[in-house]
């Protein structure tokens, strides 16, 4: 992880450790009876937040069940890299039960030096399947 994402993970880890230490100290001071009551309330709140996050994730998912693909490659000194962000020879969208042209997102980043080669495919590496005739 690099940049801002790594910093966010670090901050999250510090907050988690601080919260666990604080709750442990609080539970030790108030006793097990009160600690049990507070833990039940906290557990219920976490469950409600979890359901809300799951609903939000479902509501904001790309239509058509599209997937997200992130490919990053670096080739130095006469090397070759090939990445495929999907099935090398998978079924067509129709065969897989997805509507034609299902939404998806592909982010590709590559850097090649000297006589290096990089090939990135942000989806299925197969020719389109002609429509079936009846």
């Amino acid at each position: 992880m690099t940049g801002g994402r790594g910093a966010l993970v670090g901050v999250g880890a510090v907050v988690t450790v601080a919260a666990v230490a604080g709750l442990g100290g609080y539970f030790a001071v108030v006793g097990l009876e009160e600690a049990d009551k507070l833990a039940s309330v906290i557990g219920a709140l976490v469950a409600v937040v979890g359901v809300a996050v799951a609903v939000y994730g479902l509501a904001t998912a790309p239509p058509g069940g599209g997937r997200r693909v992130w490919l990053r490659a670096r080739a130095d000194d006469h090397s070759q890299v090939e990445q495929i962000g999907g099935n090398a020879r998978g079924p067509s969208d129709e065969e897989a039960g997805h509507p034609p042209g299902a939404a998806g997102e592909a982010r590709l980043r590559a850097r090649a030096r000297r006589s290096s080669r990089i090939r990135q495919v942000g989806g299925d590496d197969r020719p389109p399947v002609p429509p079936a005739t009846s």
Side-chain angles (χ1 to χ4, degrees):
M1 287 179 264
T2 61
R5 183 170 233 170
L8 285 176
V9 169
V11 168
V14 168
V15 169
T16 301
V17 168
V20 168
L23 282 173
Y26 177 76
F27 290 165
V29 170
V30 299
L32 291 180
E33 186 70 30
E34 286 297 316
D36 183 45
K37 292 177 186 176
L38 182 61
S40 297
V41 171
I42 290 173
L45 291 175
V46 167
V48 169
V49 169
V51 169
V53 169
V55 169
Y56 173 78
L58 289 173
T60 60
R67 65 176 182 268
R68 293 186 176 132
V69 177
W70 288 274
L71 301 176
R72 180 178 286 180
R74 181 177 171 175
D76 294 324
D77 299 329
H78 315 290
S79 57
Q80 294 185 21
V81 176
E82 182 167 336
Q83 295 177 324
I84 300 172
N87 297 325
R89 294 281 183 253
S92 68
D93 286 338
E94 293 82 7
E95 292 168 339
H98 301 296
E105 177 183 349
R107 294 183 186 178
L108 310 176
R109 179 181 292 179
R111 180 174 22 171
R113 293 188 178 168
R114 298 187 185 161
S115 62
S116 303
R117 278 185 39 197
I118 296 176
R119 178 175 179 250
Q120 293 178 319
V121 178
D124 293 335
D125 184 19
R126 58 173 164 65
V129 176
T133 57
S134 18

